[in-house]
Amino acid sequence: MDTYKTISKPSEPILFKERKSKFYGYCFPVSDEETIKAHIEALRKEYPTANHVCYAWQMGIETKSYRANDDGEPNNSAGMPIYGQLQSFDVTNTLVAVVRVFGGTKLGVGGLISAYKEAAKLALENAKIITKVLQKQVSVIFEYSEMDIVMRLVKKHQLNIISQDLHLKCKIVLSVNKSDFKKTVKLLKAHHKLETKEID
């Protein structure tokens, strides 16, 4: 797969009410567990009267990892329904948190599952979901005299220049869609005056 979906920025909170309990749903773009911890701690401070801050996250593109946390609610009644919505919307590098402020009426496990699922769904519907293309980078080193050839290749194959250093000895870094990467590197290597190197 060349593309994946994620969210571009933290979403505005949504409020879902169920029998006087309030469920506030949030989405955050994340790339590491430290950021996740910081978001959860910030929500606990923002809602000092909240009984539970339940959440689920999914990270990674080719190999995904996830976690679901019930934060004291009955087992699998909060974190997993939230995680189910992350899967349903097919987003990664995303944290969905639902803050519950108890309203005095117990909802039962079925009611909790339904409420957390709905709050997570509304939060994701409220988030700006974007599609990103998986890319790899290659550096190309060449003599200044080869500039025309290189720029023609860049234009013809619609390659993205990430950086360029154009002196007597020139170096440019290109970003290429992952599925086209091998083909593009082969194409560049066919010009024996160009020195190509994959960047991990």
Side-chain angles (χ1 to χ4, degrees), residues 101-139:
V101 179
F102 186 55
T105 307
K106 291 198 170 181
L107 301 180
V109 172
L112 289 172
I113 290 170
S114 169
Y116 279 105
K117 178 185 171 183
E118 187 61 25
K121 176 172 170 271
L122 292 170
L124 281 159
E125 282 175 353
N126 194 37
K128 186 168 169 50
I129 295 173
I130 53 171
T131 300
K132 286 192 166 186
V133 180
L134 210 51
Q135 299 198 312
K136 285 183 77 172
Q137 292 181 0
V138 58
S139 71

Side-chain angles (χ1 to χ4, degrees), residues 15-78:
L15 170 60
F16 174 70
K17 289 180 184 173
E18 184 65 44
R19 279 185 273 172
K20 294 185 181 170
S21 271
K22 291 176 182 173
F23 295 83
Y24 296 90
Y26 289 82
C27 295
F28 303 96
V30 290
S31 55
D32 57 70
E33 292 197 42
E34 285 306 306
T35 313
I36 291 165
K37 274 186 202 155
H39 284 311
I40 299 303
E41 279 167 23
L43 288 174
R44 289 193 200 284
K45 280 182 187 156
E46 194 178 333
Y47 295 92
T49 61
N51 306 73
H52 309 277
V53 179
C54 305
Y55 61 91
W57 54 259
Q58 181 157 268
M59 284 193 289
I61 293 145
E62 288 166 297
T63 310
K64 291 186 172 77
S65 59
Y66 77 92
R67 187 159 302 152
N69 189 314
D70 295 315
D71 192 34
E73 291 282 32
N75 242 358
N76 295 329
S77 67

Side-chain angles (χ1 to χ4, degrees), residues 98-175:
V98 178
V99 179
R100 181 189 181 194
V101 179
F102 186 55
T105 307
K106 291 198 170 181
L107 301 180
V109 172
L112 289 172
I113 290 170
S114 169
Y116 279 105
K117 178 185 171 183
E118 187 61 25
K121 176 172 170 271
L122 292 170
L124 281 159
E125 282 175 353
N126 194 37
K128 186 168 169 50
I129 295 173
I130 53 171
T131 300
K132 286 192 166 186
V133 180
L134 210 51
Q135 299 198 312
K136 285 183 77 172
Q137 292 181 0
V138 58
S139 71
V140 186
I141 296 167
F142 52 94
E143 297 295 335
Y144 195 79
S145 56
E146 304 299 311
M147 175 75 78
D148 274 0
I149 289 172
V150 173
M151 289 309 170
R152 269 205 303 274
L153 281 170
V154 166
K155 194 172 178 185
K156 184 181 173 186
H157 298 281
Q158 297 177 328
L159 306 174
N160 293 323
I161 297 175
I162 301 293
S163 68
Q164 49 188 10
D165 188 4
L166 308 175
H167 297 292
L168 283 173
K169 195 85 167 168
C170 303
K171 179 184 176 182
I172 62 171
V173 175
L174 301 170
S175 179

